[in-house]
Amino acid sequence: KGKLVGTIVEASLDKLRGVTATLLVQNGTLRVGDALIVGHTWGRVKALFDYEGKPIKQAGPSTPVIVLGLQEAPMAGEYFELAASEREAKAIVEERRLATAAAQDQQRPRMSLEEIFARFEGGETKTLNLIVRADLQGTLEPVVKSLEELKESEFGIKILHAAVGNISESDVMLAEASDAVIIGFSVGVDKAAAGRAEQSGIEIRQYDIIYKMIEDVQDALKGMLEPVYENVPVAHATVLQLFKIRKGVIAGCMVNDGLIK
């Protein structure tokens, strides 16, 4: 009868059932119809299933349960809690998302992987900000790990947000606020997200092959490396005579070595 709280164990995006999340109830009782707040997402419990996949009406403390009805797939380890209504759950989640966007206070021009090199030449950035989405938690973790391991000298990658599920409008909003590129691995793009990304110039990259994704990001990071300039003499010449003309001076030279073009 206590306050409902628990932890997300696993989450994925099922093409038929939508977002499915495995939860562990730690306190209180979870029931069909409850409005839940989970990190930066929310939803109403449409169905509950026990560890054998059998439908149930409620789950008490220490009970693992599969839940249908969340708007987006949450991260493993996130806590969930009960909201009084769907309206309250949605309002609280929206406040959290706005707070996250506000925390990213560096408002800069939009970035794509192709533009990174030009941006760095102007000294504007040394870090590639990424938002990552994957179809499964088991896929998301190796994708994030592979990206975080990519480094070029002092320049690197910062994963601002990583989650399971389709690329959403909130991802685009975060990208707008943090000058990030969105990477999707085996996921789709919500219609609202695609429209907003096109309007604001946010780049969304979608992949199904991990090494292709890594290659593209590596190329972007290599483009961010600061070039090393060094004077390399290719020829020497001696000035023998100067000829003044209206537009300047002509130098008559004798090439001592090398090649002058």
Side-chain angles (χ1 to χ4, degrees):
K1 295 182 180 179
K3 180 182 178 181
L4 176 64
V5 291
T7 306
I8 304 296
V9 177
E10 173 66 273
S12 63
L13 182 63
D14 189 291
K15 293 181 180 179
L16 297 177
R17 300 196 297 178
V19 175
T20 63
T22 302
L23 316 180
L24 178 62
V25 180
Q26 293 172 287
N27 197 68
T29 302
L30 177 64
R31 297 179 175 87
V32 174
D34 283 346
L36 297 182
I37 302 168
V38 191
H40 285 74
T41 188
W42 63 279
R44 178 173 290 278
V45 179
K46 295 179 180 178
L48 290 175
F49 302 91
D50 64 12
Y51 68 97
E52 293 181 330
K54 296 178 181 178
I56 56 176
K57 295 295 184 181
Q58 62 182 40
S62 299
T63 304
V65 62
I66 297 174
V67 172
L68 302 183
L70 295 179
Q71 297 293 310
E72 298 178 21
M75 293 288 292
E78 285 189 319
Y79 291 102
F80 68 86
E81 57 185 320
L82 182 67
S85 64
E86 287 186 74
R87 178 178 292 182
E88 181 186 79
K90 187 176 181 180
I92 291 173
V93 168
E94 188 63 28
E95 285 180 6
R96 290 180 181 180
R97 289 176 175 175
L98 291 174
T100 299
Q104 308 296 331
D105 57 356
Q106 296 180 358
Q107 300 289 341
R108 299 185 296 269
R110 307 301 174 231
M111 182 190 296
S112 68
L113 289 180
E114 286 80 5
E115 293 167 351
I116 290 174
F117 179 64
R119 292 285 310 278
F120 177 70
E121 281 188 323
E124 296 178 43
T125 183
K126 291 188 178 182
T127 302
L128 171 57
N129 293 328
L130 295 178
I131 295 168
V132 182
R133 283 279 187 172
D135 56 343
L136 298 170
Q137 191 73 41
T139 305
L140 181 65
E141 292 175 5
V143 166
V144 170
K145 185 177 180 182
S146 298
L147 289 170
E148 288 178 337
E149 289 175 350
L150 296 177
K151 292 182 180 179
E152 292 290 342
S153 185
E154 72 234 60
F155 312 108
I157 289 174
K158 185 176 181 181
I159 307 293
L160 300 179
H161 180 60
V164 174
N166 286 339
I167 296 166
S168 65
E169 189 175 11
S170 63
D171 295 326
V172 179
M173 291 171 63
L174 178 57
E176 289 173 352
S178 57
D179 196 15
V181 173
I182 301 173
I183 289 183
F185 195 85
S186 297
V187 295
V189 182
D190 292 346
K191 188 175 181 180
R196 180 158 189 155
E198 184 176 357
Q199 185 178 13
S200 59
I202 294 297
E203 182 176 29
I204 297 176
R205 292 240 172 181
Q206 294 175 271
Y207 299 94
D208 291 311
I209 303 172
I210 193 167
Y211 74 79
K212 175 59 178 171
M213 174 193 69
I214 292 172
E215 279 182 358
D216 284 357
V217 177
Q218 275 182 325
D219 290 344
L221 287 177
K222 287 176 182 177
M224 292 169 73
L225 288 175
E226 187 173 7
V228 177
Y229 297 100
E230 182 180 351
N231 290 324
V232 180
V234 295
H236 295 89
T238 302
V239 178
L240 301 180
Q241 183 69 46
L242 296 179
F243 303 93
K244 293 184 178 180
I245 59 175
R246 264 191 314 184
K247 295 183 179 180
V249 178
I250 294 175
C253 304
M254 175 67 73
V255 179
N256 299 323
D257 59 74
L259 179 65
I260 295 180
K261 296 182 180 179

